[in-house]
Amino acid sequence: MPVFYGTDLSSRMMLGTAQYPSPSILAQAFRRSGAGIATVSIRREAGGDRAGADFWDLIRDLGVAVLPNTAGCHSVREAVTTAHMARELFDTRWIKLEVIGHADTLQPDPFGLVEAAQILTEDGFQVFPYCTEDLVLCDRLLDVGCQVLMPWGAPIGTGRGLNNVYGLRSLRAHFPDVPMVIDAGLGLPSQAAQAMEMGFDAVLLNTAVAKAGDPAAMAEAFALAVQAGALARDADPMEPRDMAAPSTPLLGQAVLS
């Protein structure tokens, strides 16, 4: 199981908490998925003495680790300020760092991401950066103190799966000992299984589960796929071949002529 900043997790599934039809369905999805981490946007908790209190009570009742995020932040200053608010509110050093650079694709701003990650790491945060599969960007994030990487599979909410399989494989191979989570873009359980087969440590989902016709069932389907993918990877799967190879030996066959 993955270890993030010295914390052992009981699950390779991480779930977001937005867009569910109701709080009860959100809770059902978490129970059936066995997810070990809930990502929570600080923006849900803004304004008023009891604003967001019921939601926060629900998250605590799930009994999972909380990973607050800086979702929707488009500048370093905004992301850093939001991270400090999250640390005070949730009493955790963990922060999922998002610094969005492109409004249509929600692609991370690589320059702002590295700058914000350095500021937060130096201030004692344990940063989970939402990034692309770019090797140079990821190397810079590790240089400034990040110990986990969260590359996207595809743009947030698209459900397109693993858009750049070559790039993701290269990233995984280049940093074999760095915990990595596929974050964003997964739409089907088969895509989560593929990510695990490629050697990633966990997946983070939200839209694919929350917007399904039956979110709880979809959460369980993803959990089973993640388990299957991890088992397949650990079983040392065969490599693809260019030529056919008979599964039945030719020697010893009966001669029918």
Side-chain angles (χ1 to χ4, degrees):
M1 287 298 174
V3 179
F4 296 150
Y5 290 103
T7 299
D8 294 293
L9 300 181
S10 60
S11 171
R12 298 183 184 277
M13 277 274 291
M14 305 164 67
L15 273 183
T17 54
Q19 307 184 76
Y20 289 85
S22 70
S24 63
I25 291 177
L26 184 156
Q28 291 171 30
F30 269 85
R31 284 194 296 269
R32 290 181 65 173
S33 72
I37 291 179
T39 60
V40 180
S41 171
I42 185 65
R43 295 170 188 270
R44 288 177 170 270
E45 306 300 326
D49 292 338
R50 287 287 296 168
D54 291 341
F55 175 78
W56 181 217
D57 289 342
L58 170 63
I59 297 302
R60 281 190 294 215
D61 288 344
L62 294 175
V64 300
V66 173
L67 175 62
N69 68 50
T70 63
C73 293
H74 290 258
S75 71
V76 172
R77 180 177 179 180
E78 188 180 13
V80 169
T81 300
T82 302
H84 280 90
M85 293 169 60
R87 181 166 63 179
E88 181 177 345
L89 180 65
F90 296 106
D91 190 27
T92 179
R93 296 167 61 198
W94 282 9
I95 190 71
K96 179 190 168 189
L97 179 61
E98 296 183 24
V99 182
I100 301 302
H102 192 272
D104 292 335
T105 64
L106 302 180
Q107 179 170 327
D109 171 1
F111 310 102
L113 185 64
V114 172
E115 182 181 349
Q118 181 169 9
I119 292 170
L120 292 173
T121 299
E122 290 175 352
D123 196 31
F125 283 88
Q126 296 174 330
V127 178
F128 294 67
Y130 164 62
C131 58
T132 66
E133 68 279 12
D134 184 272
L135 287 174
V136 177
L137 168 60
C138 290
D139 197 32
R140 296 292 186 274
L141 289 168
L142 296 173
D143 284 345
V144 299
C146 296
Q147 297 180 23
V148 177
L149 296 173
M150 302 185 75
W152 65 354
I156 294 170
T158 61
R160 298 184 62 85
L162 306 180
N163 268 356
N164 184 2
V165 172
Y166 171 79
L168 289 169
R169 287 190 188 278
S170 297
L171 179 66
R172 179 69 283 181
H174 198 74
F175 302 110
D177 299 322
V178 177
M180 291 189 195
V181 181
I182 292 294
D183 175 15
L186 299 182
L188 293 171
S190 57
Q191 297 162 355
Q194 181 185 14
M196 301 308 300
E197 290 168 0
M198 290 168 58
F200 289 89
D201 298 281
V203 297
L204 194 162
L205 311 160
N206 195 159
T207 307
V209 172
K211 290 298 186 180
D214 186 339
M218 185 61 76
E220 183 176 355
F222 266 102
L224 293 172
V226 166
Q227 182 181 10
L231 285 171
R233 177 194 63 209
D234 293 343
D236 191 17
M238 64 175 287
E239 294 292 330
R241 299 167 175 165
D242 292 329
M243 300 292 291
S247 57
T248 302
L250 297 178
L251 293 176
Q253 284 188 333
V255 178
L256 305 176
S257 63

